[in-house]
Amino acid sequence: SYCRIEAKMRAADSPLKLGFPNPSAWLAYCLGGLVFMKWARFDPDKEYFDLGSSSECYCNAQFLELETLGPISPVQPGQSITHSETWHLFEYKHLENPMPEITEKIDMDEILV
């Protein structure tokens, strides 16, 4: 399942930022016959910054940004941490709303290896 958000921003509008916990682990943007999707693991047992947000969407009149956030993790000097995303581009030509068809074809276990 998914939630569709459509934002038509004008130059005079204030920027908009939405954040939420995302157990589906993916975000997508549709434009000009293409769907850009990105995935990142979500751990429901971990805490996330920005009031528990593992996904965020920021938009203004110039651009839209899809962000994924990793869980809060302590990192000591000399240590490192990795947050991985998987990106895909899909073409769609004849669908007004391509997301149901695209998400039915995706094997999330294969993408989030």
Side-chain angles (χ1 to χ4, degrees):
S1 68
Y2 67 95
C3 174
R4 180 179 174 174
I5 299 169
E6 186 172 337
K8 296 182 180 182
M9 306 297 290
R10 299 168 300 176
D13 292 338
S14 294
L16 171 69
K17 185 168 188 174
L18 302 170
F20 51 96
N22 187 357
S24 296
W26 63 268
L27 295 164
Y29 180 73
C30 304
L31 180 68
L34 293 173
V35 176
F36 168 70
M37 295 185 79
K38 65 191 306 187
W39 291 263
R41 291 199 175 278
F42 173 76
D43 187 340
D45 297 324
K46 300 280 176 106
E47 290 185 44
Y48 289 81
F49 289 104
D50 291 351
L51 303 174
S53 299
S54 64
S55 291
E56 296 181 341
C57 175
Y58 172 88
C59 60
N60 62 27
Q62 287 80 40
F63 66 91
L64 179 131
E65 180 181 86
L66 301 176
E67 295 180 52
T68 63
L69 288 77
I72 298 171
S73 302
V75 180
Q76 299 300 319
Q79 292 182 323
S80 63
I81 192 165
T82 301
H83 176 72
S84 298
E85 296 180 336
T86 302
W87 295 7
H88 283 277
L89 276 178
F90 298 94
E91 274 190 284
Y92 71 97
K93 299 277 186 206
H94 307 290
L95 301 171
E96 182 177 314
N97 182 5
M99 296 317 299
E101 182 176 311
I102 289 172
T103 56
E104 287 174 10
K105 295 178 183 177
I106 296 171
D107 180 355
M108 293 302 288
D109 292 329
E110 181 179 308
I111 289 173
L112 295 174
V113 176

